[in-house]
Amino acid sequence: QVQLVESGGGLVQAGDSVRLACVVPVRIFDNYAVGWFRQAPGKERVFVAAISWVATTTYAEALKGRFTISRNTVKNTVYLQMNSLKPEDTAIYYCAAGRPWPAPNFEYWGQGTQVIVSS
């Protein structure tokens, strides 16, 4: 069973920054793209950003410039740095692994970490 584990969520204020982490099993980390998705209350889950196993990145257009995805090969961890947070960024954030690149079929998912941005 493949398990991705997210962390880093919490309650923050508008304008703050948060970094989410997703620990990925090594055999997945080395061969799969990892993406971040979010699901706001009452809404569908949507794509945020993704990074390939060679660190190519892609973002949801509306989040470019505020969010940055990166990977640490020593810790087999993918990060999502979120800056200038807004109340509308409130959501449960999920990481997922999939392939191929650049259009992965995300087949492995974490349980999610909640981010609440207060105004």
Side-chain angles (χ1 to χ4, degrees):
Q1 184 177 358
V2 176
Q3 187 172 11
L4 281 66
V5 181
E6 303 99 333
S7 62
L11 175 63
V12 299
Q13 292 189 337
D16 284 352
S17 296
V18 167
R19 188 178 75 163
L20 305 181
C22 174
V23 179
V24 183
V26 173
R27 69 175 182 86
I28 299 297
F29 185 83
D30 290 343
N31 298 287
Y32 283 65
V34 176
W36 284 97
F37 295 76
R38 69 183 185 182
Q39 186 167 19
K43 297 187 177 181
E44 293 186 353
R45 187 158 55 190
V46 297
F47 172 77
V48 173
I51 188 165
S52 75
W53 50 91
V54 293
T56 306
T57 60
T58 185
Y59 294 89
E61 193 65 31
L63 299 176
K64 281 183 180 179
R66 283 200 305 128
F67 289 16
T68 302
I69 191 169
S70 62
R71 66 200 303 267
N72 183 313
T73 56
V74 174
K75 297 183 177 181
N76 52 289
T77 299
V78 173
Y79 300 102
L80 183 68
Q81 177 69 40
M82 306 188 293
N83 298 328
S84 303
L85 284 164
K86 306 174 183 180
E88 51 264 43
D89 294 317
T90 294
I92 300 174
Y93 285 75
Y94 300 89
C95 66
R99 56 186 180 182
W101 187 266
N105 173 32
F106 289 99
E107 56 187 296
Y108 302 113
W109 291 82
Q111 295 299 307
T113 184
Q114 188 166 39
V115 175
I116 300 173
V117 184
S118 65
S119 58

